[in-house]
Amino acid sequence: MLRPVLIIAIFILASIPTAPAQVQTVGAVSFAVPDGWQYKQGPDFGAMTMKADTRFWVVAVYTDMPSSGDPNADFKAAWKRVLLAGPDYRGVPNYDPYKLTETVGYPGKYYDGSSVNQTTYTRLYVLESGKTFVPVAFVSLNRNVLDSMEHNAMAVVGSVRVAPLKASPIKYSINLTDLTGNWTNGIVTSIDSYNHAGQYQSNSLTALRYGYTIAPNGSYTYKAGGLLNNQMINDDDSGVVELGAGFITFKGHRHVNQYRFVNLQQALDGSAVITLWPPVDMSQISSSRDSMYLTRPVRK
């Protein structure tokens, strides 16, 4: 059997130009290719690559595998298939892999690992899809470089579909029609405080729900409510949405909120998910830290 991680590395170094493509298929699995990334077909996977000076990123989507019904067992099977087919990686993670976030749309697991010689770093996602599961590998030089492109990896993972479903392209431009509807997000954090002796002191809970309802003419209403550091808060506003220069600006009567638009795509359940960043210089953006997701349920 060919070594998947080694094949990916060969793809990265290959000088043969490749053409970008919005949606590709490998076996019964289809997926979207991020804007500006190059695509190459492997024997049992499709690889998307991006290079910048000495840095590289690869997202590889593999053909689906029969599910055992146990996400942890499925993850181990995928890890062995993708990372242990050659000598670059050794062993299976000793800890249970992490659960995928709800923004992806799939139940499943993910975990990271570094190659034996520390030349590549891989995050493996395993997407549970009923009777089968789909491995998706995200590869780069190290974790810091990998995380700088996490928004693209999450966009690919979120786009994956198993036949008869079909992937849709990722959108990198929007208009008011795309934004019309009710967009929501929530934040839940719990922080425990201890004194210098290690004794429990207090807990700070934040549980907020907020959202924008946008009309076809660009007007909007905003509502937020919940707990902020154990204190009840409520906020509301209304105004007009402005689009331009890659930003979405909510000009309200009380607040002005601006976001850098990243992408828009359809989630597995048919809802729309928009990815946003804060309106700061790109050099200050951390994809893994700053990505914010707003979700619009399926229109009925």
Side-chain angles (χ1 to χ4, degrees), residues 89-103:
Y89 289 75
R90 292 178 187 167
V92 178
N94 294 323
Y95 300 98
D96 285 347
Y98 303 115
K99 289 184 179 180
L100 287 172
T101 62
E102 61 181 11
T103 55

Side-chain angles (χ1 to χ4, degrees), residues 31-207:
F31 49 90
V33 178
D35 192 28
W37 289 53
Q38 301 301 311
Y39 179 79
K40 282 181 177 287
Q41 186 81 38
D44 62 347
F45 66 89
M48 293 143 274
T49 63
M50 170 68 75
K51 293 189 291 184
D53 49 67
T54 60
R55 299 170 297 164
F56 70 85
W57 299 267
V58 181
V59 181
V61 180
Y62 289 76
T63 53
D64 58 331
M65 302 170 65
S67 176
S68 68
D70 180 351
N72 286 346
D74 290 348
F75 181 86
K76 290 180 179 179
W79 187 276
K80 291 176 181 177
R81 173 191 178 186
V82 175
L83 279 83
L84 301 188
D88 299 336
Y89 289 75
R90 292 178 187 167
V92 178
N94 294 323
Y95 300 98
D96 285 347
Y98 303 115
K99 289 184 179 180
L100 287 172
T101 62
E102 61 181 11
T103 55
V104 172
Y106 283 94
K109 301 281 187 168
Y110 75 96
Y111 208 80
D112 300 3
S114 184
S115 63
V116 175
N117 59 10
Q118 306 293 310
T119 57
T120 60
Y121 187 89
T122 299
R123 180 169 296 142
L124 181 65
Y125 301 93
V126 173
L127 315 180
E128 295 287 342
S129 180
K131 295 181 179 180
T132 67
F133 64 89
V134 181
V136 181
F138 183 27
V139 186
S140 192
L141 291 169
N142 54 55
R143 181 169 181 173
N144 287 337
V145 177
L146 189 86
D147 284 347
S148 68
M149 283 285 181
E150 184 176 352
H151 59 290
N152 279 308
M154 296 304 289
V156 174
V157 169
S159 76
V160 170
R161 300 291 184 270
V162 179
L165 301 179
K166 181 71 174 179
S168 299
I170 304 164
K171 296 192 67 171
Y172 293 94
S173 62
I174 53 172
N175 53 43
L176 286 177
T177 301
D178 295 321
L179 289 177
T180 299
N182 183 33
W183 299 85
T184 62
N185 195 3
I187 301 171
V188 178
T189 61
S190 180
I191 301 174
D192 292 328
S193 299
Y194 298 84
N195 62 20
H196 65 281
Q199 298 171 320
Y200 175 80
Q201 295 289 99
S202 62
N203 172 269
S204 176
L205 175 65
T206 294

Side-chain angles (χ1 to χ4, degrees), residues 212 214 220 240-241 248-252 255-259:
Y212 297 91
I214 303 172
Y220 76 89
V240 176
V241 179
I248 302 175
T249 304
F250 294 91
K251 287 193 171 181
H255 313 288
V256 175
N257 294 316
Q258 188 176 63
Y259 305 95

